[in-house]
Amino acid sequence: MDKCPEHSAHDQHLDRLDARVLELEDANKELSRFTERITVLVDKYDETLDDHAARLAALESIPARRWEQIANYTLTAALGAAAGIVLAHFGL
């Protein structure tokens, strides 16, 4: 016995909906895979960024250390000269 046209239309509509649900499930799985890949890439990028920040800080500190050394040498020379003048004044 044939189905009435109304039931036939309902069955066709349900079949189309089932097909759309399967397509959406596949798309959702693909998006989940992409999300996992992006998460891994972001984690690697963060590690690289941290490494670059540490290296940059080390490079930036080199001139500061040089100026500290120059200041220390200048202070030492000035104090030595002052001590020499004082000692020479007292005849030592």
Side-chain angles (χ1 to χ4, degrees), residues 4-56:
C4 69
E6 187 176 320
H7 284 100
S8 227
H10 285 277
D11 286 342
Q12 289 174 0
H13 185 67
L14 286 175
D15 289 340
R16 285 193 305 268
L17 288 176
D18 285 341
R20 288 182 65 193
V21 167
L22 291 175
E23 288 176 12
L24 290 173
E25 286 176 350
D26 290 341
N28 190 27
K29 287 177 186 176
E30 189 173 346
L31 286 173
S32 293
R33 286 193 299 269
F34 286 142
T35 301
E36 289 173 13
R37 289 180 190 165
I38 289 173
T39 302
V40 169
L41 289 174
V42 167
D43 290 342
K44 287 181 183 178
Y45 177 77
D46 285 343
E47 290 173 9
T48 303
L49 188 62
D50 291 341
D51 179 53
H52 288 313
R55 290 173 55 197
L56 183 61

